Amino acid sequence: MKTLSYALPRLRTTQLALLGILMALEIVIGRFTFGPVSVKVGFTFIVVGLIAKWYGPYWGMIVAFFNDFLSTMISGYSYFWGFAVSALVGAAIYGFAFYGREHISWLRVIVTVILVLLLVNAVLNTLWIVIMGGMTDPKAITSLLWVRGIKQIIFLPIQAIILYFFLNHPTLEQLRERLLFK
């Protein structure tokens, strides 16, 4: 008799160890951001993309949730659940777009990056900043949205190019084959 399983894919020890290393790498890279809080620029999307490609959306979302919590606690800022929602949505988008694909096309990368930048970064994260800051002035909210939107437009080609080359890099694929499918 065949049964359906809704559990997460099981991980071997090497797969779990690599996932832990990637989690730590994401936290470390997340510490190296620049710009003001409202338009902060960072490069954690590279690690999130790798986790999404190698482990899928479900493990990616779990990692995103824990990394959001841990990095907030390490930073000393107060925890706000909205950014965890953003991390979950971003990891899900990356995971469903990249998981199980040997080669990821330019079109797939660009569409995925546009979704994450617009939906997660421009809309959701701006909403969380507005809520946390108690902003009620529509002009201030609109100007914040414009500034953050322009940052996303500028960052779109940069993030797409970096993700494309990292996700399709032959050395990283060899590492994945060696560690994950041994």
Side-chain angles (χ1 to χ4, degrees):
M1 174 181 223
K2 191 173 185 178
T3 60
L4 294 175
S5 175
Y6 294 103
L8 290 168
R10 297 185 79 183
L11 299 178
R12 292 189 317 271
T13 306
T14 55
Q15 293 171 318
L16 190 60
L18 180 60
L19 186 59
I21 291 169
L22 289 171
M23 287 176 68
L25 183 62
E26 183 182 348
I27 290 173
V28 169
I29 289 175
R31 303 291 288 166
F32 297 102
T33 59
F34 55 92
V37 175
S38 59
V39 288
K40 192 166 36 171
V41 175
F43 294 94
T44 58
F45 66 89
I46 298 168
V47 182
V48 174
L50 283 174
I51 292 171
K53 182 180 179 186
W54 293 353
Y55 292 94
Y58 304 116
W59 278 112
M61 289 168 53
I62 290 170
V63 168
F65 177 79
F66 281 114
N67 274 359
D68 175 68
F69 182 78
L70 289 172
S71 60
T72 303
M73 294 301 121
I74 290 170
S75 71
Y77 292 118
S78 60
Y79 184 76
F80 181 70
W81 58 270
F83 292 112
V85 171
S86 293
L88 290 170
V89 171
I93 291 171
Y94 282 134
F96 286 117
F98 299 152
Y99 184 58
R101 304 207 178 266
E102 196 165 311
H103 178 79
I104 299 170
S105 69
W106 275 107
L107 180 63
R108 182 169 290 275
V109 169
I110 291 169
V111 169
T112 304
V113 169
I114 287 172
L115 281 173
V116 171
L117 290 179
L118 289 180
L119 181 65
V120 177
N121 295 358
V123 175
L124 287 178
N125 287 347
T126 303
L127 175 65
W128 309 140
I129 291 170
V130 167
I131 290 172
M132 286 180 63
M135 297 173 73
T136 56
D137 181 21
K139 288 182 181 180
I141 294 170
T142 304
S143 66
L144 177 65
L145 192 57
W146 272 103
V147 168
R148 291 179 57 79
I150 291 170
K151 178 240 175 186
Q152 303 312 320
I153 291 169
I154 292 169
F155 210 61
L156 170 65
I158 297 167
Q159 188 167 333
I161 291 168
I162 290 172
L163 261 182
Y164 178 82
F165 286 111
F166 265 91
L167 295 178
N168 292 311
H169 197 279
T171 305
L172 288 175
E173 283 304 308
Q174 290 171 357
L175 175 70
R176 179 182 73 96
E177 289 293 325
R178 208 173 316 140
L179 292 175
L180 299 182
F181 299 108
K182 206 168 196 186

